[in-house]
Amino acid sequence: MERKQYQMGDIVQMKKPHPCGTNEMEIIRMGMDIRIKCVGCKHSVLVPRAKFESKLKKVLRSNPQSAEELSGTSENDLN
């Protein structure tokens, strides 16, 4: 099975909803652990990467700013 691609600033859908009722989370920190923030109530949680990857359902919206950084281009380079 292919690993899901995610990065800082992405809005992801988790398998189980947060207690506030939404299952959309924003990735706000990445490392050995991943910090995600609930889009509904703004509560943040630090989750080990392995657990995050097993609980991740899909990436809903990618952060366009992060995609630019990965590709190595920015608006300043184009001008």
Side-chain angles (χ1 to χ4, degrees), residues 17-44:
H18 190 252
C20 74
T22 185
N23 59 355
E24 292 184 11
M25 301 283 192
E26 179 183 2
I27 300 173
I28 58 174
R29 179 184 179 275
M30 290 181 64
M32 284 296 291
D33 298 322
I34 296 179
R35 184 170 296 277
I36 53 177
K37 179 173 68 172
C38 178
V39 172
C41 68
K42 308 295 186 217
H43 183 259
S44 68

Side-chain angles (χ1 to χ4, degrees), residues 3-79:
R3 289 181 57 170
K4 295 181 177 68
Q5 298 295 316
Y6 53 87
Q7 55 199 0
M8 285 277 295
D10 285 357
I11 305 295
V12 297
Q13 182 179 18
M14 305 306 282
K15 289 182 179 175
K16 291 187 178 180
H18 190 252
C20 74
T22 185
N23 59 355
E24 292 184 11
M25 301 283 192
E26 179 183 2
I27 300 173
I28 58 174
R29 179 184 179 275
M30 290 181 64
M32 284 296 291
D33 298 322
I34 296 179
R35 184 170 296 277
I36 53 177
K37 179 173 68 172
C38 178
V39 172
C41 68
K42 308 295 186 217
H43 183 259
S44 68
V45 181
L46 189 65
V47 183
R49 183 178 288 264
K51 187 173 181 179
F52 173 80
E53 289 178 353
S54 70
K55 301 295 182 186
L56 176 65
K57 189 170 186 180
K58 65 182 174 180
V59 177
L60 297 174
R61 294 182 295 272
S62 288
N63 184 5
Q65 202 171 34
S66 300
E68 278 182 5
E69 291 170 7
L70 289 177
S71 68
T73 60
S74 67
E75 290 181 22
N76 293 337
D77 293 340
L78 300 175
N79 292 335

